[in-house]
Amino acid sequence: MTLYARFAAHLDAALDALVAAGELPAGLERRAVTVEPPRDASHGDLATNAAMVLAKPAGTNPRALAEKIGAELEKLDEVASVAIAGPGFINMTLTDDTWRGELSEILRTQADYGRSTIGQGISVNVEYVSANPTGPMHMGHCRGAVVGDALATLLEFIGHRVIREYYVNDAGGQVDVLARSAHLRYREALGESIEIPEGLYPGDYLKPVGAALAAEHGDKYVGAPESEWLVLFRKTAVAAMMEMIRADLALLGITHEVFSSEAELQAAGKPEAAEAWLRERGLVYDGVLEAPKGETPEDWEPVELPLFRATQFGDDQDRPIKKSNGAWTYFGADLAYHFQKAQEADQLIDIWGADHAGTVKRIVAAVQALTGGMTKFDVKLVQMVRLLRAGEPVKMSKRAGNFVTLADVVNEVGKDVVRFTMLTRKADAQMDFDFAKVVEASKDNPVFYVQYAHARVASLHRKAAEAGIECATGDLSLLDTEELALVKRAAQFPRVVEGAAAAREPHRIAFYLYDLAAEFHALWNAGNDRPERRFLLPDQPQLTCARLFLARGIGQIIRNGLALMGVEAVQEMH
């Protein structure tokens, strides 16, 4: 049990003692009670709002209750002192031995430090990327891919059973455009000179698809009507694009357990099943939509359509699930897809581009209706990334075929740089990715700064070995207040992990690692002006060993955090 979890249990025991003594009524709701670092570090090591939360329902004064709770907490061997602040906040200062014990716990549990079971095995479906299968991955897809993958790993780390899913949009008009584009490349492969008209995909990535089709079918479909080859070419082209997409994602270390096909979903009658389920419950009805704003009666022909009662679940208007020609709307197909996912997982998370913000309400409404509100559903919106070279924008156009692919970027700066950078800002905030800055060796580059901290730890142990310093054990009592301050930051890791998972915000791990690295670098740099503060002191082997154990613990936390981000911790930097 990590320090914050342990003190939450200590606080519960203190409150139980007050209940047993008749100082507090039994049965008070404690869910809002927290144990966390105080906002001002000078106030102590831990703070709790217990008195502020419980005083009113207990019918007592917050400060008076705080005094009683504080008296119970002061009985703990791990607590050096307790202070009451303001109207009833309780601040605790822990003994130095408590922090030394936490460092020992980090060294003992290693890669499992911060891991927990609070997820209780609850299954979570995380759907991310889901790019249209019309070409290779480009940087427009990259951020959502990394955010989704890091979030999935984070949820697994706290005890959830995670399903990583990719939804293949292979039933819309864009894949027919893909098939027609592949047909042109097929004719080109057979020796015909082609010109790609506006509206088709001009990228060279379709040339191998055309060549494969030509090798397999010869000139059979050169002059054939579209109805004879469209389905075949669509299936072949989509399969080739998905193979390419999987390979691109693999460059980022990303794999999915499940690939769900929209075309297969519709062929299996899933949208009809969802519609029938909703109709039985009066949640789909046949009605007429209001005319769009600005349309006159002469321009608008009302058509009766099957409508989902989205307004009953917080949406702005009821939504059609079919078009006037009987085809499923995007929403109708998505509704059926989420119905399928909800039958296989306890919770759903979708990672979407910010351009889909307008559809969030209707899908949230659909999931609430389809699951009776029993399935927790989150949509995380991810803003686009603006690519720069030395401050100058890099223009992208997928239809023009001159976009910057994900593979190009990974090959230029490396997987770890790309993944870490994608998590250096909150997902719904705009991001610039400057090829020059992301590889810059400076404090302003979080990727470098955190990796450099780990490389320093690794070099420290190499230098110790070269100096013949061997540390089977370390006397941690030799670590002083300045050094234990670093342990206090390291000990926050489990709490940061749980908070990041609960908020569905993996970028919090990157922020935390940057702060931890900054404190480690500061302690390291103190040795430049004060030689006695250096980690390696050959004439003081016991103190050196204690500091090596401290560095090892910090290196372990950095590795654990980077692993959650899908980033490898480097051993040295050149």
Side-chain angles (χ1 to χ4, degrees):
M1 183 183 293
T2 55
L3 183 135
Y4 285 89
R6 189 165 72 250
F7 270 84
H10 286 331
L11 179 58
D12 262 340
L15 296 174
D16 289 342
L18 292 178
V19 170
E23 300 285 355
L24 267 180
L28 293 180
E29 176 57 63
R30 301 180 186 179
R31 276 184 297 183
V33 172
T34 61
V35 176
E36 56 192 2
R39 291 181 182 176
D40 186 340
S42 67
H43 291 168
D45 297 323
L46 298 178
T48 177
N49 62 353
M52 304 291 292
V53 170
L54 301 176
K56 186 174 181 180
T60 188
N61 176 274
R63 192 171 179 92
L65 179 55
E67 296 284 356
K68 293 175 182 177
I69 297 172
E72 291 294 324
L73 293 173
E74 275 187 316
K75 297 175 184 178
L76 297 169
D77 291 340
E78 295 170 283
V79 175
S81 64
V82 174
I84 311 304
F89 289 104
I90 304 168
N91 295 320
M92 291 172 273
T93 299
L94 308 186
T95 65
D96 287 349
D97 280 345
T98 299
W99 295 112
R100 294 182 182 111
E102 194 65 14
L103 175 56
S104 295
E105 181 67 7
I106 293 170
L107 295 170
R108 184 187 69 82
T109 54
Q110 299 182 53
D112 285 330
Y113 187 78
R115 188 183 297 277
S116 74
T117 58
I118 62 172
Q120 300 177 326
I122 294 169
S123 59
V124 184
N125 180 299
V126 185
E127 183 224 320
Y128 56 107
V129 189
S130 297
N132 289 339
T134 54
M137 297 285 294
H138 59 75
M139 282 300 286
H141 306 126
C142 180
R143 195 176 182 189
V146 173
V147 169
D149 197 57
L151 177 56
T153 302
L154 189 60
L155 292 171
E156 284 178 330
F157 197 66
I158 66 160
H160 284 286
R161 183 174 66 83
V162 176
I163 303 164
R164 291 170 166 83
E165 185 156 343
Y166 187 118
Y167 185 42
V168 184
N169 299 111
D170 55 357
Q174 80 280 353
V175 288
D176 286 342
V177 173
L178 177 71
R180 295 181 187 113
S181 305
H183 188 262
L184 279 178
R185 294 300 188 182
Y186 157 75
R187 287 160 50 192
E188 181 183 42
L190 291 169
E192 186 177 333
S193 178
I194 65 165
E195 186 171 319
I196 300 174
E198 182 73 24
L200 296 190
Y201 297 113
D204 287 348
Y205 57 85
L206 283 173
K207 286 185 176 181
V209 180
L213 286 165
E216 182 176 356
H217 302 290
D219 61 1
K220 179 179 178 181
Y221 297 112
V222 170
E226 183 178 284
S227 58
E228 291 186 15
W229 54 260
L230 184 68
V231 173
L232 171 64
F233 277 50
R234 182 172 63 206
K235 184 177 179 180
T236 302
V238 167
M241 294 304 98
M242 287 308 302
E243 185 176 343
M244 187 184 302
I245 286 170
R246 284 187 177 93
D248 289 343
L249 289 173
L251 293 175
L252 281 176
I254 293 174
T255 58
H256 292 78
E257 289 95 2
V258 178
F259 286 84
S260 291
S261 159
E262 181 183 358
E264 291 177 6
L265 186 87
Q266 294 193 23
K270 295 297 179 71
E272 288 86 354
E275 179 186 5
W277 193 93
L278 290 168
R279 279 189 183 275
E280 287 175 8
R281 290 155 180 80
L283 298 176
V284 165
Y285 65 99
D286 295 318
V288 177
L289 292 173
E290 294 181 5
K293 289 181 179 179
E295 295 280 355
T296 65
E298 293 77 22
D299 299 324
W300 172 250
E301 181 181 349
V303 178
E304 188 174 75
L305 299 169
L307 304 177
F308 165 62
R309 295 188 189 276
T311 51
Q312 193 170 314
F313 301 93
D315 196 6
D316 303 322
Q317 64 184 73
D318 291 345
R319 304 288 179 178
I321 61 174
K322 279 186 178 179
K323 302 175 185 177
S324 57
N325 64 2
W328 295 101
T329 61
Y330 282 119
F331 171 65
D334 282 350
L335 182 150
Y337 169 56
H338 284 80
F339 192 31
Q340 174 177 283
K341 288 199 295 184
Q343 293 169 345
E344 299 167 355
D346 303 313
Q347 298 180 8
L348 307 179
I349 300 173
D350 287 358
I351 310 295
W352 290 354
D355 55 331
H356 289 81
T359 64
V360 172
K361 275 188 177 181
R362 67 192 70 172
I363 291 296
V364 169
V367 173
Q368 189 175 352
L370 290 164
T371 68
M374 298 301 293
T375 298
K376 183 179 179 182
F377 176 47
D378 289 328
V379 177
K380 303 300 290 186
L381 295 176
V382 179
Q383 286 287 350
M384 293 289 286
V385 178
R386 189 172 66 140
L387 283 180
L388 305 171
R389 283 194 182 277
E392 293 298 316
V394 178
K395 294 183 179 179
M396 294 188 295
S397 171
K398 189 171 183 181
R399 284 196 176 272
N402 62 356
F403 55 89
V404 178
T405 68
L406 185 152
D408 291 336
V409 177
V410 173
N411 290 333
E412 181 171 340
V413 302
K415 168 184 80 74
D416 292 337
V417 168
V418 173
R419 287 193 65 124
F420 196 112
T421 303
M422 292 299 113
L423 296 169
T424 53
R425 299 206 70 188
K426 193 173 181 179
D428 60 1
Q430 293 285 347
M431 171 178 282
D432 288 346
F433 185 99
D434 192 310
F435 285 89
K437 289 187 178 297
V438 297
V439 295
E440 189 178 80
S442 78
K443 182 180 179 180
D444 296 329
N445 178 8
V447 187
F448 166 81
Y449 202 52
V450 173
Q451 289 281 31
Y452 187 36
H454 189 271
R456 272 184 158 173
V457 170
S459 81
L460 183 62
H461 286 88
R462 287 195 300 270
K463 289 176 181 177
E466 291 167 4
I469 299 173
E470 296 183 5
C471 301
T473 60
D475 183 1
L476 301 185
S477 67
L478 297 175
L479 297 177
D480 61 19
T481 301
E482 194 172 349
E483 290 153 337
L484 292 177
L486 191 55
V487 178
K488 293 178 184 181
R489 174 69 69 178
Q492 290 186 28
F493 179 67
R495 180 176 166 275
V496 171
V497 166
E498 291 182 3
R504 314 311 202 206
E505 293 183 341
H507 71 274
R508 294 189 186 191
I509 304 298
F511 288 12
Y512 166 80
L513 290 180
Y514 183 87
D515 291 341
L516 179 65
E519 291 193 27
F520 175 75
H521 288 308
L523 187 61
W524 179 287
N525 293 334
N528 295 333
D529 300 323
R530 298 151 59 198
E532 74 278 5
R533 300 304 305 175
R534 291 174 183 168
F535 279 81
L536 283 184
L537 298 172
D539 58 338
Q540 299 184 61
Q542 287 189 317
L543 179 57
T544 294
C545 283
R547 289 177 176 174
L548 285 173
F549 273 85
L550 170 63
R552 185 178 298 169
I554 300 309
Q556 185 66 63
I557 297 296
I558 292 174
R559 284 196 298 280
N560 291 2
L562 290 177
L564 291 175
M565 299 168 68
V567 175
E568 183 180 350
V570 300
Q571 298 298 309
E572 53 187 331
M573 300 188 81
H574 304 286

